[in-house]
Amino acid sequence: VLAWTLWSKDAEQGAAQLQAVAHSLEADLKRVTGTREILTTGAPGRMIRIEPDVARMANVQLSLNELQRALQGAGGSLPAGQLLAGNQQIQLDAGGWFSDAREVEQLVVAVRQNRPVYLHDVASVTDGSAVPGQYVWHGVTSTGGASGEYPAITMSVTKKAGQNAVEVASAVKARLELLRNTVVPAGVELSITRDYGQTADEKASKLMQKLLFATLSVVALVFFALGKREAAIVGTAVLLTLTATLFASWAWGFTLNRVSLFALIFSIGILVDDAIVVVENIHRHQALFPQRTLTEIIPGAVAEVGGPTILATLTVIAALLPMAFVTGLMGPYMSPIPINASMGMLLSLAIAFVMTPWLSRLWMKSSHAQGEHAEHGSAARGSALARRFEQFFRRFLDPLHGAKRRMQLGLLVLALILVSVALPVIGWVQLKMLPFDNKSEFQLVLDMPAGTPLEKTAGVLRELGAYLQTVPEVQDYQAYAGTSAPISFNGLVRQYYLRQGSEQGDIQVNLVDKHHRKEQSHAIAMRVRPALQAIVKPYGASLKVVEVPPGPPVMAPLVAEIYGPDDDGRRQAAAQVRKVFEQTSGIVDTDSSAQADSPRLWLRVDRSKAA
């Protein structure tokens, strides 16, 4: 849910020093409520380096094999049995682990002339970083401050199941602020590079605004069409329906997220239908039978529309509910929509038949005969609307010109239908399951040829970073050579967390806030892609520009799976399919899960000669 990068402009603050800061943060942040794992990416690791001195080893007649055996037998712990003492069983362990280089120096590696030979007598021991197997650095553009690239370590936190992502992310950020200038030294910068908690909060707030706008729009429409009392009844029914639906969703086990909120917005028009139908029919019966009281009118008015309303509600539920049985990755993503919408419609039906008549009896106190002056404004609005509708439809019912006008209207509607159907054919409207979202990030996934050394991969990533520093919408980026970036929403399915190799690299690109740039993230990714592809092409590398999907992540828009009895046949078929993909217009990137053979040398020992 949250990722941040530790980096420093101070040349003395390298990866090893940042690693110590990261380990201190790990221990502290694990105490934050709701966190599950604190992951560190880019830590070089710690290594005790032993460099034997051949001359000193010769003085004490110690061979490399003897030194190796002495080191292999030290620095370990094994169970040695159990002791019974004081009516208590005690576990006995033999040996112990080294804690620093000083203890390693005091290791006895041999005994000569009844005198111990210590490791520091025959070798130099240093405590430092391990041999680099990965590189991570933080790039700052002129938009985000003074441009440059600095060694970095990225940390990320995951939340426990059922915890609120917004609350967990906020708690971790608050704790990080408290740790500045204490656990995090003054010369070390801490940059938030991913905040899914903030993203979820923004999306939820926006959906809540849309839900409120939709509800107020319906109430306003009823106000202008029927009157203020009817609008108040419909508004109350909608609020009760939404409240009951959210409670039912919680009882079902769903959380309040973007999908469940979308389900409510999607069904808001259906949720208010039942209440509007009942109120409108009661309103109509008041006009038809002005001499009757509301107590006499309501049962007949509700019964008149009860059957059709129940049938219409069940029909919509029957159309939506099959979506709840979708399996695979789309299942958990899509199921809240039909289930929440179906529960909301059933609850709205119950409220329309129970609460709406009761509220109508309480609030619609005057009949049309008794309350003509009280409802004069509503009646005037209704009369004006009725007159306009009558004028409009009378043109099509005129005995002389009505048939011609109906024919013209029918042709116009048919032409509009044909135009709308033709829009996707001519390419003016793109058919997509979900629209592009304006995200604040995208990712570059680099695959160099098999056997490429880590340093060369890092060099290509630095060339890509140099270009990114010229893009005005880029605020900063994090480059990862030999390892993967912290797991993202997209990497869950594509298994980017398994990318560990000297020929593999990632760049996490963070954009300026969407309110401070004109183009959307998709347009920016499409714009920079040709230049990035041109950079990696001379190296024979494959580069993919990966955006955060608006819906559930997938392996790729098009995936072909090849099955066969032998590996060679599968590879040949895959090569043919890949060629077809590459020749198809509209496909920009092709990739294969088949791993290329890396260069390898075999050392075969002649056993007879070695003997």
Side-chain angles (χ1 to χ4, degrees):
V1 295
L2 187 70
W4 61 93
T5 300
L6 300 173
W7 58 282
S8 178
K9 297 180 180 179
D10 187 356
E12 296 182 358
Q13 296 284 352
Q17 289 73 27
L18 296 175
Q19 176 181 245
V21 176
H23 289 335
S24 300
L25 286 176
E26 287 179 2
D28 192 282
L29 294 176
K30 286 180 180 178
R31 296 196 293 267
V32 177
T33 304
T35 59
R36 187 181 66 176
E37 290 182 310
I38 309 294
L39 305 176
T40 300
T41 304
R46 183 184 177 189
M47 175 183 290
I48 304 295
R49 185 183 299 275
I50 301 173
E51 298 180 3
D53 189 319
V54 179
R56 287 190 287 172
M57 290 177 62
N59 290 337
V60 296
Q61 299 179 352
L62 180 67
S63 66
L64 284 174
N65 289 335
E66 291 175 317
L67 179 60
Q68 182 181 8
R69 287 194 296 269
L71 294 174
Q72 289 176 341
S77 179
L78 294 173
Q82 297 174 346
L83 292 178
L84 292 176
N87 200 26
Q88 186 178 14
Q89 182 173 294
I90 301 174
Q91 178 70 33
L92 179 62
D93 293 334
W97 300 99
F98 296 119
S99 60
D100 54 27
R102 185 172 302 174
E103 291 187 7
V104 178
E105 289 180 339
Q106 299 300 319
L107 177 65
V108 177
V109 296
V111 177
R112 295 292 185 267
Q113 298 178 357
N114 296 324
R115 296 181 58 186
V117 177
Y118 297 98
L119 182 59
H120 63 78
D121 294 331
V122 295
S124 60
V125 181
T126 55
D127 189 351
S129 300
V131 177
Q134 57 187 7
Y135 293 113
V136 177
W137 62 91
H138 178 80
V140 182
T141 66
S142 57
T143 304
S147 61
E149 292 183 342
Y150 310 96
I153 286 180
T154 298
M155 302 182 67
S156 58
V157 59
T158 60
K159 71 178 185 69
K160 295 179 181 178
Q163 294 291 326
N164 189 317
V166 178
E167 294 178 355
V168 173
S170 299
V172 172
K173 288 190 292 185
R175 187 61 184 169
L176 288 174
E177 289 299 323
L178 291 176
L179 297 177
R180 287 182 184 268
N181 298 324
T182 55
V183 176
V184 181
V188 176
E189 302 289 339
L190 193 154
S191 302
I192 302 295
T193 51
R194 180 184 297 157
D195 190 352
Y196 285 164
Q198 180 181 0
T199 303
D201 189 33
E202 291 176 354
K203 294 294 183 182
S205 300
K206 187 175 181 180
L207 286 172
M208 290 295 289
Q209 293 174 3
K210 298 293 184 182
L211 183 61
L212 180 61
F213 174 77
T215 303
L216 293 178
S217 299
V218 171
V219 174
L221 180 62
V222 176
F223 172 76
F224 285 107
L226 299 179
K228 61 182 180 181
R229 296 178 182 272
E230 290 82 355
I233 294 171
V234 171
T236 304
V238 171
L239 293 178
L240 289 174
T241 301
L242 293 177
T243 304
T245 303
L246 289 175
F247 175 78
S249 178
W250 169 80
W252 193 275
F254 292 124
T255 58
L256 185 63
N257 51 45
R258 285 174 281 178
V259 180
S260 57
L261 287 174
F262 171 75
L264 293 178
I265 297 175
F266 165 75
S267 58
I268 188 67
I270 306 172
L271 297 181
V272 300
D273 279 351
D274 298 340
I276 291 177
V277 168
V278 172
V279 170
E280 192 277 333
N281 205 45
I282 296 174
H283 183 90
R284 186 176 69 88
H285 273 245
Q286 278 190 307
L288 292 175
F289 310 105
Q291 72 282 359
R292 299 172 62 181
T293 64
L294 283 171
T295 305
E296 297 172 338
I297 288 174
I298 289 176
V302 175
E304 185 177 20
V305 296
T309 304
I310 294 174
L311 181 61
T313 302
L314 295 179
T315 302
V316 176
I317 292 176
L320 288 175
L321 205 55
M323 293 172 57
F325 301 97
V326 175
T327 58
L329 184 65
M330 287 293 292
Y333 190 83
M334 298 295 291
S335 60
I337 297 177
I339 294 177
N340 280 324
S342 299
M343 289 191 300
M345 283 183 282
L346 289 175
L347 291 170
S348 70
L349 186 64
I351 291 174
F353 288 158
V354 177
M355 298 298 298
T356 303
W358 177 65
L359 292 174
S360 299
R361 189 182 68 84
L362 293 179
W363 292 352
M364 296 173 63
K365 293 182 180 179
S366 302
S367 67
H368 280 257
Q370 299 169 346
E372 182 177 357
H373 297 288
E375 299 292 337
H376 179 73
S378 300
R381 286 192 297 269
S383 299
L385 288 174
R387 285 195 302 271
R388 292 189 179 185
F389 275 114
E390 184 177 353
Q391 292 173 2
F392 178 77
F393 287 110
R394 190 177 293 278
R395 296 166 56 89
F396 297 97
L397 301 176
D398 183 78
L400 297 178
H401 305 288
K404 181 180 179 180
R405 289 169 179 169
R406 290 195 298 271
M407 178 65 70
Q408 292 174 347
L409 179 62
L411 292 176
L412 176 62
V413 172
L414 180 61
L416 292 176
I417 293 175
L418 293 177
V419 170
S420 63
V421 173
L423 290 177
V425 178
I426 62 180
W428 287 5
V429 174
Q430 300 294 328
L431 296 179
K432 287 180 59 64
M433 183 174 180
L434 293 171
F436 290 113
D437 198 0
N438 192 8
K439 300 291 186 179
S440 60
E441 61 177 291
F442 63 86
Q443 189 174 356
L444 306 181
V445 179
L446 176 68
D447 290 293
M448 299 288 287
T452 301
L454 180 64
E455 287 70 20
K456 187 174 182 180
T457 303
V460 176
L461 290 175
R462 292 190 184 278
E463 291 188 38
L464 296 173
Y467 170 76
L468 291 175
Q469 292 194 0
T470 65
V471 180
E473 294 86 357
V474 175
Q475 179 171 324
D476 55 51
Y477 59 89
Q478 295 77 47
Y480 304 87
T483 187
S484 62
I487 187 68
S488 63
F489 188 45
N490 212 25
L492 291 175
V493 172
R494 302 189 181 188
Q495 299 179 339
Y496 284 161
Y497 53 88
L498 298 178
R499 292 174 51 82
Q500 305 288 335
S502 62
E503 68 274 5
Q504 296 176 330
D506 291 1
I507 295 183
Q508 174 73 29
V509 183
N510 301 312
L511 302 176
V512 177
D513 186 81
K514 61 184 178 181
H515 300 100
H516 300 149
R517 49 184 164 88
K518 297 180 179 179
E519 288 187 307
Q520 293 196 345
S521 58
H522 176 69
I524 297 172
M526 294 293 291
R527 173 162 54 85
V528 302
R529 185 182 175 279
L532 296 173
Q533 291 282 1
I535 293 174
V536 303
K537 186 176 181 180
Y539 300 99
S542 171
L543 179 71
K544 293 183 283 293
V545 180
V546 181
E547 299 180 66
V548 179
V554 294
M555 290 292 295
L558 292 175
V559 178
E561 297 183 359
I562 310 298
Y563 298 91
D566 59 277
D567 184 62
D568 293 337
R570 291 192 297 268
R571 288 179 179 269
Q572 292 177 3
Q576 295 175 2
V577 173
R578 184 170 184 172
K579 186 176 180 180
V580 173
F581 278 176
E582 291 174 346
Q583 294 174 352
T584 303
S585 61
I587 296 179
V588 294
D589 289 322
T590 58
D591 199 2
S592 174
S593 61
Q595 296 182 353
D597 296 330
S598 58
R600 177 178 297 181
L601 294 176
W602 289 93
L603 178 63
R604 301 186 181 276
V605 179
D606 191 326
R607 298 177 182 271
S608 60
K609 293 182 179 179

